[in-house]
Amino acid sequence: LNRLSKLHHWWDGRTISAERLQENGVDPESPVVQKLLALSQTLIGFPRHLSQHSGGFVIARDSLARLVPIENAAMAERNVIQWDKDDLDAMGLLKIDVLALGMLSAIRRALDLIGLRRGELFTMQDVPAEDAATYRMIAKADTVGVFQIESRAQMSMLPRLKPDKFYDLVIEVAIVRPGPIQGGMVHPYLKRKQGLEAVDYPSPAVQQVLERTLGIPIFQEQVMQIAMVAAGFSGGEADSLRRAMAAWKRKGGVEKFYDRIVGGMLERGYEQSFAERIFRQIEGFGEYGFPESHAASFALLVYISAWIKRHEPAAFLAALLNAQPMGFYSASQLVQDARRHQVEVRPPDIAISEWDCTLEEAPDGSGQPAVRLGLRLLKGLAGGAVERIADARAMQPFDSIDDLKRRAELSQQDLQALARANALSSLSGHRRQVAWQVAGMQTMPGLLKDASIAEEAIVLPPASEGQEILADYASAGLTLNRHPLALLRQQLKKMNLSTALEMQSFPNRKLARTTGLVTMRQRPQTAKGTLFVTLEDETGNINVIVWPALLEKQRKEILNARLMTVYGVWQREGEVVHLIAKRVVDHSAMLGSLMVEGRDFY
């Protein structure tokens, strides 16, 4: 199963060839393999997983169990209805969803930290509106960690759209969606926004509906309004159209409206080409188009989170780390980005760190504070142990590891987690020395330690920088030492491989080659088989585009590489830059001791 999943990664409608199975050490003649492939083929189209809203409920007049099958959820005292939302809708049952956003938690935490710094309550209403510096940051796609506009697709759109007012963010949120993309609305809107195409309207009625989006329907409400003013739909018919465009449906079921929409427009004097284009755009909305009200409320969170990142980057990082897991980026990537923005990040320390990441002001109170990593990031350390550490430390600082263990009532596992993360260095030297000391504190069952026997202290040499980096990733998922590729840079220079920073100045169509840690692979449904890869080095990120033909040719290297070298052509369109891959090499072996078997350390 592991071999086949790594081999395929996604379903593209084709069977796996015998040659590809053999290349990956799988016997195509094995009855077990053949049965597995047959069963997998049978499962195509089944629900991928059982999911539920964080809060939601169904209302019925009588006992719900009489109407729908109900089963126990994994969590105690929780039940799940086996029907999906479409089944409930068909039966006319009232369903209410209570949605949740991790960014709401992160924003609240960030605002609390800002308020503590300023000595007064600071809320969303206190964030200045229409801040020019915030919009400049957004227009440069400097949006790692920002709500909604942190994905590859959004970052590619931002320098083209160049938002400079709130309503631009409303459009940005809505336009980078499968609906507008499938409906062919993105490029016409951009051309009009950039002044490359004239804005025209086939009638004053249509102009009234589409003027705020330069003549291009982007929101669900606009599609409904066009159906009414241009095709003669009644309010009830327009609502039926909205239901056919319901969110998350792979096929919106709007085909049955073709004659009514196109015919209605022709009857009212609109050209065939306009009517056909509007219908194609409506079909695209079946692949998920946003309501304007939804986009506006999301845009508010976009602006608030972007303002915090621009003006309070330390609070932004601490809040994001304290709200994990959430968002598009790992803790390591968030820390790397913050450090590139001159935010000082300090390691977890048993003498200082709390459970959450905290801010530490400069002695003179000037500039941005430093972020002290919290003990929550340490793998294997329970929250209860941290509470006992905080209580004991409040009474009196720890003077030794023995003192820490005794007063905080820590288990051997707790101490080992702290030692692995180098969080005990303020009590007993470097990581290796602490780990040795902690290991020596364990008494085997049935054995008593003879206090009369003096054990000679052993002094261990500190670990190399590479070993320290490896230990950081293994214990906390990130490092505050140099980036792993910084250790390989001299070797990479000999191979004429450029950094992300060096490539930023490359002209369009320049041949380029680079290497980076693979932090992301994306293959959107709308990309027609194209794979988007994000590489990271010590200077920044490189966005790589892998066309389907190359993916088919080098699937093994592209899907399995941890450290990927890409030879290709640099593509520049204004501030939007990509590397179009022509050849890929898996250089994961160069990571040496930094690579952990079976896991991506980044």
Side-chain angles (χ1 to χ4, degrees), residues 157-195:
M157 180 65 68
L158 290 170
R160 296 183 173 107
L161 189 62
K162 292 189 181 301
D164 59 7
K165 57 182 179 296
F166 181 76
Y167 198 74
D168 287 344
L169 296 181
V170 179
I171 292 174
E172 174 74 33
V173 166
I175 203 170
V176 185
R177 298 281 162 184
I181 291 172
Q182 296 280 44
M185 308 169 204
V186 176
H187 293 300
Y189 180 83
L190 282 176
K191 287 180 180 177
R192 296 183 178 196
K193 171 73 173 173
Q194 296 168 352

Side-chain angles (χ1 to χ4, degrees), residues 5-315:
S5 63
K6 289 180 179 178
L7 162 70
H8 218 57
H9 272 245
W10 51 77
W11 178 251
D12 55 11
R14 296 176 299 169
T15 56
I16 305 176
S17 66
E19 293 78 9
R20 184 168 291 157
L21 291 171
Q22 289 173 333
E23 288 174 5
N24 288 268
V26 179
D27 180 10
E29 302 299 324
S30 166
V32 175
V33 172
Q34 291 180 2
K35 188 173 184 179
L36 174 62
L37 293 176
L39 290 172
S40 300
Q41 179 72 37
T42 303
L43 288 172
I44 296 300
F46 277 58
R48 186 174 61 180
H49 62 282
L50 179 67
S51 63
Q52 63 193 80
H53 283 302
S54 56
F57 46 93
V58 178
I59 297 177
R61 181 179 60 189
D62 205 341
S63 171
L64 193 60
R66 295 181 58 189
L67 299 174
V68 298
I70 298 175
E71 66 179 63
N72 295 331
M75 185 180 293
E77 306 300 325
R78 295 286 181 93
N79 301 306
V80 224
I81 293 171
Q82 293 185 357
W83 290 359
D84 68 16
K85 60 183 180 63
D86 295 325
D87 298 329
L88 295 172
D89 186 55
M91 292 297 293
L93 292 175
L94 178 60
K95 171 182 66 75
I96 298 177
D97 299 332
V98 182
L99 304 181
L101 290 172
M103 181 52 71
L104 290 174
S105 295
I107 287 176
R108 176 183 57 79
R109 294 168 188 263
L111 295 175
D112 288 346
L113 290 170
I114 296 169
L116 286 174
R117 292 195 67 210
R118 301 187 178 194
E120 58 185 5
L121 184 67
F122 192 83
T123 67
M124 289 177 63
Q125 289 76 13
D126 297 314
V127 172
E130 303 297 79
D131 177 66
T134 299
Y135 283 113
R136 285 195 297 270
M137 181 190 79
I138 291 173
K140 292 191 300 183
D142 183 9
T143 53
V144 170
V146 175
F147 181 64
Q148 282 287 301
I149 57 171
E150 59 180 352
S151 70
R152 277 279 300 268
Q154 291 280 6
M155 285 184 170
S156 177
M157 180 65 68
L158 290 170
R160 296 183 173 107
L161 189 62
K162 292 189 181 301
D164 59 7
K165 57 182 179 296
F166 181 76
Y167 198 74
D168 287 344
L169 296 181
V170 179
I171 292 174
E172 174 74 33
V173 166
I175 203 170
V176 185
R177 298 281 162 184
I181 291 172
Q182 296 280 44
M185 308 169 204
V186 176
H187 293 300
Y189 180 83
L190 282 176
K191 287 180 180 177
R192 296 183 178 196
K193 171 73 173 173
Q194 296 168 352
L196 303 176
E197 180 180 294
V199 180
D200 59 349
Y201 306 97
S203 73
V206 171
Q207 180 176 357
Q208 189 175 1
V209 175
L210 298 181
E211 191 167 19
R212 64 188 185 277
T213 53
L214 305 182
I216 306 298
I218 291 176
F219 304 109
Q220 279 187 2
E221 295 93 330
Q222 291 177 303
V223 173
M224 295 170 64
Q225 288 175 299
I226 288 176
M228 295 174 70
V229 303
F233 273 48
S234 67
E237 288 175 316
D239 190 59
S240 297
L241 178 61
R242 177 192 64 80
R243 289 177 179 273
M245 298 186 300
W248 306 111
K249 286 186 179 179
R250 287 178 179 261
K251 293 184 179 179
V254 298
E255 296 83 3
K256 61 184 179 183
F257 291 95
Y258 176 84
D259 292 337
R260 182 77 178 85
I261 292 172
V262 175
M265 289 187 180
L266 293 178
E267 289 175 8
R268 286 160 180 79
Y270 292 94
E271 294 183 2
Q272 178 85 26
S273 59
F274 175 76
E276 294 281 356
R277 178 159 56 89
I278 289 297
F279 184 77
R280 285 198 305 273
Q281 291 171 342
I282 291 173
E283 279 189 308
F285 271 90
E287 297 289 337
Y288 194 52
F290 250 29
E292 187 174 15
S293 56
H294 195 164
S297 56
F298 268 29
L300 177 61
L301 301 183
V302 170
Y303 178 78
I304 296 293
S305 57
W307 183 91
I308 296 172
K309 178 181 173 73
R310 173 62 181 83
H311 295 282
E312 296 282 353

Side-chain angles (χ1 to χ4, degrees), residues 526-548:
T526 54
K528 300 179 181 179
T530 301
L531 179 70
F532 300 96
V533 181
T534 301
L535 305 182
E536 177 190 272
D537 66 16
E538 71 273 31
T539 67
N541 297 314
I542 308 109
N543 293 326
V544 180
I545 295 176
V546 181
W547 298 126

